[in-house]
Amino acid sequence: MLTFIGLGLWDEKDISLKGLEAIKKADVAYAEFYTSRLMGATLEKLEALYGKPIKVLDREDVEQHPEDSILKDAVDKDVVFLTGGDAMVATTHVDLRLRAQKMGIQTAVIHGASIASAVCGVTGLQNYRFGKSATIAFPYRSIVSETPYDTIKMNKANGLHTLLFLDIDKAQGYMTINKGIELLLLVEERRKEGVLRDALGVGVARAGSPEPCVKAARLDSLKSYDFGGPLHILVIPAELHFLEEEALEALAGLRL
Ligand SMILES: C[S@@+](CC[C@H](N)C(=O)[O-])C[C@H]1O[C@@H](n2cnc3c(N)ncnc32)[C@H](O)[C@@H]1O
């Protein structure tokens, strides 16, 4: 049996009671922290509250050779797989689930609070107005990906907001909102299509923590705003509904 459990957004206490019960009765607990992280917790704190040692897997273990560890164990043991946020939001874990099913392993999902819904909660932007999301990745060999820019262009043309996840990289760390904006503006400068001319951005840092930071402003001023520590995420909104505008003024200090 393999149960995917979302741990929520900030620390060890964000897990659901169902999730906690499932970990306590499991034979083996695995986790991955390369797609997201609970910045308010350490592995020791998680293990202490969940009452179980946790084996942390890296991307290769999960995506290349899961049959060497997690899937092998799940054939005849009760295994839980822990991830930040919701295990099935903005991750590749559906692939792991399908692989397990093909091996005849029973699977289940216990959901956790996700950044995808928390962004709406802290900003007041309406969930149904979001289009396709994208990830702003650290440049690879100095090449800046244009995919996030194209995603914003397409969403804006359809009157939809764009949620931009910010890269987490072993060597380069957690991308900040400031760096994400800088990379978007580099593409704007190169393409000169005006997609981001006078564009608004909404930055959210540490959603789910006791001190989240939410700020909305034009990108040229937002790019130097101090959001504090990770994790960060950025929204490029389409034209705002009047209620969204009011919410951003009240909750994110928007001054148009
Ligand atoms: C690839 S997504 C995975 C989302 C996760 N599965 C979930 O449901 O929340 C991870 C990215 O979401 C953003 N993120 C996740 N948790 C966050 C938080 N608590 N506050 C701000 N941004 C967060 C960061 O940009 C991070 O790099």
Side-chain angles (χ1 to χ4, degrees), residues 44-166:
E44 292 70 33
K45 278 187 177 175
L46 296 174
E47 292 180 328
L49 183 68
Y50 305 162
K52 200 99 324 131
I54 298 170
K55 298 182 194 181
V56 180
L57 300 175
D58 63 22
R59 187 183 289 275
E60 238 184 46
D61 298 323
V62 177
E63 295 174 18
Q64 311 288 322
H65 333 281
E67 47 295 300
D68 294 347
S69 53
I70 186 163
L71 291 181
K72 189 167 80 182
D73 278 348
V75 169
D76 55 4
K77 293 193 186 83
D78 187 357
V79 174
V80 289
F81 181 46
L82 318 179
T83 70
D86 187 284
M88 294 298 166
V89 175
T91 71
T92 51
H93 300 323
V94 70
D95 180 60
L96 181 63
R97 187 174 188 196
L98 295 180
R99 283 197 203 203
Q101 303 252 48
K102 279 184 197 143
M103 289 171 65
I105 298 165
Q106 200 190 336
T107 65
V109 181
I110 299 178
H111 299 283
S114 171
I115 189 61
S117 58
V119 157
C120 300
V122 293
T123 63
L125 292 170
Q126 296 291 303
N127 172 261
Y128 64 85
R129 296 206 56 217
F130 279 78
K132 186 177 185 295
S133 54
T135 298
I136 305 183
F138 284 109
Y140 178 68
R141 294 186 176 156
S142 309
I143 297 169
V144 178
S145 166
E146 299 196 352
T147 305
Y149 186 87
D150 285 321
T151 307
I152 296 166
K153 182 177 169 185
M154 179 180 74
N155 285 339
K156 277 205 163 192
N158 290 300
L160 300 170
H161 308 322
T162 308
L163 183 64
L164 295 159
F165 299 107
L166 301 172

Side-chain angles (χ1 to χ4, degrees), residues 154-224:
M154 179 180 74
N155 285 339
K156 277 205 163 192
N158 290 300
L160 300 170
H161 308 322
T162 308
L163 183 64
L164 295 159
F165 299 107
L166 301 172
D167 202 4
I168 297 177
D169 179 81
K170 254 190 202 161
Q172 299 180 82
Y174 306 103
M175 186 183 289
T176 59
I177 292 162
N178 318 86
K179 181 73 184 175
I181 295 174
E182 181 193 314
L183 293 171
L184 287 177
L185 293 179
L186 273 178
V187 180
E188 170 85 335
E189 210 176 293
R190 184 156 70 212
R191 299 259 295 257
K192 297 195 179 1
E193 294 180 29
V195 171
L196 298 176
R197 190 182 305 128
D198 293 331
L200 273 185
V202 186
V204 175
R206 301 173 305 284
S209 78
E211 292 185 321
C213 177
V214 187
K215 179 72 186 162
R218 303 269 174 221
L219 290 184
D220 48 0
S221 86
L222 206 61
K223 79 172 179 228
S224 53

